[in-house]
Amino acid sequence: MSILGNRVLRSEDPKFLTVGGTYVADVRDPLLDGALHVAYVRSMAAHGTIVGIDVDEARNAPGVVAVFTGEDLGDLPSMPLAVPLLNPQHAQPALAQGKVRFVGEAIAAIVAETPTAAADAAELVWADIDFLPAVLTPEDALSGDTLLFEESGTNAAIELLFGEDDAAFEGCEVVIEHDFLNQRVAGCPLEVRSAAATWDGDRLVHFGSTQAPHGVKATLQAVYGLDEAGVRVVAPDVGGGFGPKIGAYPEEVLLGWLSRQVGRPVRWTETRSENMVAMGQGRGQWQSIKLGGTRDGKVTAYRLNLTQDAGAYAALGAFLPFMTRVMASGVYDIPNVQFNARSVLTNTTPIVAYRGAGRPEATAAIERAMDLYAGELGMDAAEVRRRNLIASDDFPHTTPTDAVYDVGDYERSLDLALEAAGYTELRAEQSRRRDAGDPVQLGIGVSVYVEVTAGPQAGEEFGRVVVHPDGSATAYTGSSAHGQGHDTSFAMLVTDTLGIPMEQVTIKHGDTDEVARGVGTFGSRSLQLGGSAIFQASGQVLDKAREIAADLLEADPADIELDRAGGAFHVQGTPAVSRSWADVAAAAGEGGLEAETDFKADSPTFPFGAHVAVVEVDTETGLVRLQRMITCDDAGTILNPMLVEGQRHGGIAQGVAQALYEWVRYDEDGNPQTANLADYTMISAAELPSFELVSMETATPLNPLGAKGIGESGTIGSTPAVQSAVCDALSPLGVRHVDMPCTPERVWDAIAAARS
């Protein structure tokens, strides 16, 4: 029997549950002996001109070795652009130079003997800043009255303007228009950003908490002008990423320069408050929709215009509208889809990728539009969706925004979710409460979604498999785990192909000296790309092993069989005479028994599913309680249901969090109002019910495993389902829409406005 498809316990967990992980702050590599500690002084102004920075008192503080400001950096380049389309004038310097552009921007670096000495000295730095107006809204940014970068002459980072054609809506019997806020959220990884750097001769060695070690290596090479051999990056255990840890940050990149200046290794670990104001954040879209269709529920035209908040410096977040455009029409067969977007600079923390990165925003917009359309028609929300779904026999399907969906059965996923929820019974209970005038109303939200994984910018990954003379194996992958279960899933692939027991398979990742090349872990790409690479490399090793075993058994390679249960090769029909993996590997000779490959997907995959959320809303207080969450998430062929369920749980939790709780806020001067976990309501298990997971598998033909991504699906389907459930509960009171997060205050205000 194959091990694939079975509930195999995570091999990583015993370590984490006993001795714990080894994170960057725990690393005790000899290269870091005698390391100094870095603390950053951060701007308390959202926007202003730097008149001067007084560091004299800090330089003389106990334990301080050196203090640096932006003026000391010389010709050290700004951060490389996340994507080539961005304006180089909008790049972020390692330390602020001339201006500050958001609260939390690093303006000075303290290097000291201890973390405490560095933090104490940072309090002694005084910055003289002439305040400038803070740019915080789309209107502020697009007006150009105040520019973040005067030399560029614009606050626009990227424009995707395809135009508007109102003729598409002229024949529509019903037209819906509405504005939505897809609010800014924080990643909140349990391990904050942390890094260390030193020079081993002329070679930069960098330890970092990152999702993409090879990407960080490329950044360091660009900044320091080093070749491939001149940089080594090591990612030990990583305590959560969610997208904000894909790229390198200025505070991390600067460590190599600081180490060179002081002649010793340096370490840096931020505080939680620093993380909340300086690590890249997610979402941040102001959306405007227009949807038109017939009275019998068929959508014929849809327009999504949006302004993307890119934050103070153009990073990956400025590129997110491209992903939103790709998924604009979602699961629906809409003949006319229009899209326009601008990414603008604001005096806030830069926006980066956050679990889903542009796709949840697209789904939130189209799903709320479908609910408003259903409400206008007086039609059941699930029925309106059903009438517009792309048919199961229409795949591959090309959308009006040029996405080519590989395979899907959207109606079946909806049916399975509704059946598991007991949808008819829920609607009956809702009617009972409404008729009784119950102050605690029941809300039912439905969403159907599709997303893109392993997209064109992330469509390749490295894998290498080596069988050693003792019969054990090591697999090397360019994917880099931070909780996904790579050690388990990739070992399962090796074991299934080669018959080597899982406990004898070691997975290596995260060290650019050990792994020749790689892309990393993001965009729900690991199994379908990294796993396929390991699978293919394992197959190539097996082919080589058959040739060697044939020589040892004096037989034709075509007659050689591998007994996977016993891990031995024999001639067909004569299992009594065999050769073990140890025998074959020992006979491999020069070069050993190994193979490597770079698996490249021809196109992305498109996971899909349907979510049903059930909430209770207290109309007297505005309090929302999520009672049930039923999800059907199709990620193609499932390798390990236990790992998939873990990914689904995490994604659903973060999606619910955006719908009900989490929101990064600023006051009118650009001061963060959510700078710690007392003010920012990060969700916990206490706010969540047990999720009801429905299984469905539709294999993709685009990789040998039939797998699609699952890491972000939960955040894409759950958020609009929960938001719609809240709006559904309030609809008898005349409330059509509540922007996320649906906090008690917002719900109360919506009820009061509807009654006035």
Side-chain angles (χ1 to χ4, degrees), residues 261 264 380:
Q261 301 306 307
R264 288 169 62 179
D380 181 79

Side-chain angles (χ1 to χ4, degrees), residues 736-753:
R736 296 180 69 226
H737 178 76
V738 180
D739 263 329
M740 298 185 295
C742 300
T743 61
E745 180 182 10
R746 279 190 157 175
V747 171
W748 173 261
D749 287 344
I751 294 171

Side-chain angles (χ1 to χ4, degrees), residues 251-432:
E251 297 98 328
E252 300 162 357
V253 171
L254 186 60
L255 295 181
W257 186 88
L258 294 174
S259 175
R260 179 173 276 167
Q261 301 306 307
V262 298
R264 288 169 62 179
V266 294
R267 291 179 175 269
W268 169 70
T269 299
E270 68 181 350
T271 66
R272 176 61 63 184
S273 293
E274 285 181 290
N275 179 268
M276 294 298 293
V277 299
M279 187 179 78
Q281 297 168 352
R283 309 290 188 254
Q285 282 188 4
W286 295 278
Q287 302 173 332
S288 178
I289 63 98
K290 185 173 183 177
L291 181 144
T294 65
R295 277 284 169 194
D296 62 359
K298 180 60 180 174
V299 177
T300 57
Y302 174 61
R303 178 189 299 156
L304 172 59
N305 290 344
L306 66 87
T307 304
Q308 172 71 56
D309 183 356
Y313 295 97
L316 192 57
F319 185 76
L320 294 183
F322 284 85
M323 301 300 294
T324 305
R325 178 182 180 271
V326 168
M327 305 311 303
S329 55
V331 294
Y332 304 112
D333 190 5
I334 304 174
N336 193 311
V337 177
Q338 301 173 23
F339 180 90
N340 296 283
R342 288 183 174 90
S343 290
V344 297
L345 302 174
T346 62
N347 291 119
T348 58
T349 304
I351 292 283
V352 296
Y354 173 72
R355 204 167 189 171
R359 292 102 79 196
E361 296 89 322
T363 304
I366 187 63
E367 288 301 288
R368 283 303 299 137
M370 294 298 286
D371 274 332
L372 292 171
Y373 179 49
E376 182 67 23
L377 297 177
M379 189 178 291
D380 181 79
E383 180 58 29
V384 167
R385 286 169 168 79
R386 188 188 308 280
R387 295 187 184 191
N388 290 280
L389 294 174
I390 298 166
S392 59
D393 59 359
D394 187 21
F395 289 91
H397 175 87
T398 302
T399 72
T401 53
D402 304 318
V404 182
Y405 297 172
D406 54 341
V407 63
D409 192 345
Y410 304 152
E411 186 170 13
R412 182 165 178 259
S413 69
L414 175 60
D415 288 341
L416 288 172
L418 294 177
E419 180 183 358
Y423 188 69
T424 302
E425 293 78 9
L426 286 172
R427 287 296 182 195
E429 168 62 14
Q430 182 183 64
S431 295
R432 186 196 67 75

Side-chain angles (χ1 to χ4, degrees), residues 203-228:
R203 192 176 196 227
L204 175 59
V205 181
H206 179 99
F207 298 83
S209 180
T210 176
Q211 300 171 225
H214 289 86
V216 172
K217 179 178 179 177
T219 297
L220 293 171
Q221 286 179 240
V223 170
Y224 291 99
L226 299 171
D227 61 16
E228 181 77 16

Side-chain angles (χ1 to χ4, degrees), residues 42 102 120 136 230 233 251 253 279 333 397 594 691 753 755:
R42 300 189 179 276
F102 69 97
D120 288 346
L136 300 171
V233 173
E251 297 98 328
V253 171
M279 187 179 78
D333 190 5
H397 175 87
E594 66 174 85
F691 301 141
R755 287 173 173 169

Side-chain angles (χ1 to χ4, degrees), residues 400-488:
T401 53
D402 304 318
V404 182
Y405 297 172
D406 54 341
V407 63
D409 192 345
Y410 304 152
E411 186 170 13
R412 182 165 178 259
S413 69
L414 175 60
D415 288 341
L416 288 172
L418 294 177
E419 180 183 358
Y423 188 69
T424 302
E425 293 78 9
L426 286 172
R427 287 296 182 195
E429 168 62 14
Q430 182 183 64
S431 295
R432 186 196 67 75
R433 292 198 193 191
R434 289 178 176 179
D435 292 343
D438 194 323
V440 180
Q441 286 292 308
L442 194 70
I444 306 159
V446 178
S447 74
V448 189
Y449 74 91
V450 60
E451 66 140 333
V452 56
T453 61
Q457 301 302 316
E460 185 174 343
E461 193 53 270
F462 170 79
R464 176 180 173 227
V465 174
V466 180
V467 178
H468 306 290
D470 64 357
S472 66
T474 301
Y476 300 83
T477 175
S479 293
S480 189
H482 45 283
Q484 291 82 359
H486 288 178
D487 285 9
T488 304

